Amino acid sequence: MPLHNKIISGLIFGLLLGIASVFFGIGNYITDWVMPFGTIFVKMLKLVAVPLIFVSLVSGISNLRDTSKLSRIGGKTFGIYVLTTISAIILALILANTLEPGEYFPEEKTAELKEKYASDANMKITSAKNVEDSGPLQMMIDVVPDNFFYSASNNKNMLQIIFFSVLFGIALVLSSKKKSDPIKKAFDGLNEIIIKIVEIIMEYAPIGVFALLAGLIVDLAGDDPNNIITTLKPLLYYAITVLIGLSFMVLVFYPLIIYLVTGVNFKSFFKAIFPAQMLAFSTSSSAATLPVTIDCCEKNLGVKKEVRSFVLPLGATINMDGTSMYQAIAAVFIAQVLGMDLDISQQLTIVLTATLASIGSAAVPGAGMVMLVIVLGSIGIGADKIALIFAVDRLLDMIRTVVNVTGDSAIAKII
Ligand code: ASP
């Protein structure tokens, strides 16, 4: 059976097991005995991320003849990333303003949801406060590491690893051939080994996805299946609006631009990146999915090493079209619930802040909601209002991560 079929089977069986265990009230067994296999899978993916970025980026750059090509790739990548993010936000605003999901929200639920999710919301608000308190150029400062080993010891420091790897790669190209050749060969060899490790981990993906999905259902429903329905009901229109936007990105926007620019058709594109999309869906983390995104783009989409090793890690960190789209819809939805009319300047503020907020969101589950606090602040809405949409965030996070990963892959191919 091809791997992607095995992964889909894992996903379906995981969902079924999750639902069945909620019905039979044995959710805690799933949490204790099944979910750990999912956690192990995510840990293995994360384990390989830092070595993979370092080795593949150095080996990619060292094969370039002149380093000016790198700045051309960098410029194009950044430009297209920002362009697709802004398109996603504009689309989000059109959707939220025409479908008006806030109008369907039952008013009496406002106080209830605020109370129920107050402490969860507070945790996000505290994380957002740290970002808000920093100066305008803090992001630039943060990209530059002061200790390689410190940066490499935390997957959060992806941009610092990229910075050091690019520096190392450029220095390797500029060094004398006699000295640099053995190092280049060593990096090429290491690169192959790490890609093999990713493939070994992927053999385990069907089990990992199975366990993650079963655990997730139990986590959402507890031991009572009615929990999911009561949670979803008041936020149904909001969730549908976000889903329409996200589906449009995955099913129309990216396939169309990739077809127009590269000639790769819908079916080939999806076949190529399907394993990465499935992992994004089950892990809700573009960072954990990154090794597989890189593997799919190389093997199935034929993206060159110097491009994929640079464009994809950067994309996983700063290009989050799904996240920016969700942040814009969520901001307008909350404004509608509060009875606020957003004028054109406030909508433009959302375009700007959601672009920056998605760039600043970490590639981990739930990070988009932390930065949503900043988008809300920019249009005068209090941070505590995120409690209103907390209940469905985990589910929407799975889909927006699929969009984030699909966008990175499409742009890597375009570049
Ligand atoms: N989970 C998303 C990602 O990793 C970020 C977010 O929107 O929360 O891509």
Side-chain angles (χ1 to χ4, degrees):
M1 202 194 262
L3 184 64
H4 58 264
N5 285 353
K6 283 194 216 161
I7 298 179
I8 298 192
S9 312
L11 205 126
I12 296 171
F13 282 119
L15 274 175
L16 292 179
L17 178 70
I19 295 169
S21 49
V22 170
F23 270 102
F24 292 116
I26 51 163
N28 51 337
Y29 287 99
I30 302 296
T31 312
D32 288 347
W33 293 99
V34 178
M35 185 57 188
F37 293 98
T39 313
I40 291 173
F41 176 55
V42 175
K43 281 180 87 175
M44 291 204 299
L45 286 170
K46 286 184 178 167
L47 167 73
V48 86
V50 171
L52 176 64
I53 296 172
F54 180 52
V55 169
S56 75
L57 201 44
V58 171
S59 119
I61 295 174
S62 69
N63 289 321
L64 290 176
R65 250 181 235 116
D66 81 283
T67 46
S68 65
K69 196 171 170 195
L70 196 66
S71 55
R72 279 202 305 277
I73 297 178
K76 268 193 220 163
T77 307
F78 196 75
I80 302 182
Y81 276 166
V82 173
L83 222 65
T84 54
T85 302
I86 292 180
S87 313
I89 300 172
I90 293 176
L91 198 75
L93 290 178
I94 295 174
L95 273 176
N97 284 302
T98 46
L99 299 181
E100 298 191 323
E103 302 304 318
Y104 300 92
F105 183 81
E107 243 184 277
E108 68 279 5
K109 286 273 169 192
T110 313
E112 183 191 317
L113 286 176
K114 265 170 121 180
E115 195 187 311
K116 189 165 167 199
Y117 294 99
S119 72
D120 290 326
N122 270 336
M123 270 156 55
K124 302 271 176 198
I125 294 167
T126 318
S127 312
K129 192 103 196 76
N130 296 338
V131 181
E132 273 173 325
D133 287 347
S134 49
L137 294 186
Q138 189 60 40
M139 243 167 114
M140 245 167 92
I141 300 175
D142 289 343
V143 171
V144 185
D146 53 8
N147 182 324
F148 173 73
F149 293 100
Y150 176 77
S151 310
S153 70
N154 193 333
N155 283 14
K156 274 198 206 127
N157 303 329
M158 205 99 92
L159 288 178
Q160 298 191 347
I161 300 293
I162 296 176
F163 183 92
F164 182 76
S165 311
V166 171
L167 196 63
F168 194 98
I170 292 176
L172 200 59
V173 175
L174 299 178
S175 303
S176 71
K177 211 170 145 28
K178 196 171 150 236
K179 292 274 160 59
S180 62
D181 261 359
I183 307 282
K184 277 186 194 166
K185 285 209 182 86
F187 269 94
D188 283 346
L190 281 172
N191 192 33
E192 205 175 309
I193 295 170
I194 305 239
I195 295 281
K196 273 276 164 295
I197 299 182
V198 176
E199 285 170 14
I200 296 171
I201 297 173
M202 280 307 279
E203 290 297 316
Y204 177 68
I207 299 175
V209 168
F210 165 78
L212 285 171
L213 261 287
L216 183 83
I217 300 286
V218 170
D219 196 31
L220 287 175
D223 268 342
D224 180 6
N226 289 329
N227 276 351
I228 293 202
I229 298 160
T230 24
T231 308
L232 275 178
K233 221 168 153 202
L235 291 166
L236 195 64
Y237 285 100
Y238 157 70
I240 289 177
T241 311
V242 178
L243 284 180
I244 292 176
L246 296 179
S247 313
F248 181 84
M249 294 302 285
V250 174
L251 301 174
V252 182
F253 185 82
Y254 298 125
L256 194 67
I257 53 170
I258 204 165
Y259 178 69
L260 293 177
V261 181
T262 70
V264 173
N265 67 29
F266 186 91
K267 204 171 148 208
S268 323
F269 177 56
F270 276 96
K271 217 171 148 205
I273 59 159
F274 192 70
Q277 290 179 317
M278 285 298 98
L279 286 201
F281 182 78
S282 31
T283 62
S284 288
S285 165
S286 333
T289 310
L290 181 63
V292 182
T293 319
I294 292 181
D295 196 43
C296 290
C297 282
E298 184 201 1
K299 295 240 171 63
N300 311 339
L301 274 183
V303 180
K304 281 194 192 142
K305 199 201 276 175
E306 67 265 27
V307 173
R308 69 172 157 75
S309 59
F310 175 73
V311 175
L312 292 171
L314 190 70
T317 330
I318 67 165
N319 182 47
M320 299 197 179
D321 301 343
T323 301
S324 64
M325 174 172 251
Y326 139 84
Q327 285 166 337
I329 296 179
V332 177
F333 167 75
I334 294 175
Q336 288 167 351
V337 170
L338 299 177
M340 278 171 70
D341 253 338
L342 297 178
D343 58 24
I344 188 77
S345 75
Q346 282 170 308
Q347 308 253 1
L348 286 176
T349 308
I350 295 182
V351 176
L352 184 73
T353 47
T355 305
L356 296 175
S358 67
I359 291 177
S361 298
V364 296
M369 190 178 238
V370 172
M371 299 304 275
L372 172 63
V373 169
I374 293 170
V375 181
L376 291 179
S378 73
I379 51 168
I381 296 178
D384 58 325
K385 306 296 181 304
I386 58 168
L388 293 180
I389 54 162
F390 221 103
V392 287
D393 202 67
R394 187 70 182 83
L395 288 173
L396 296 180
D397 194 6
M398 297 162 78
I399 324 268
R400 63 184 191 245
T401 310
V402 174
V403 177
N404 294 344
V405 167
T406 309
D408 297 341
S409 312
I411 294 169
K413 179 66 185 169
I414 287 167
I415 301 281

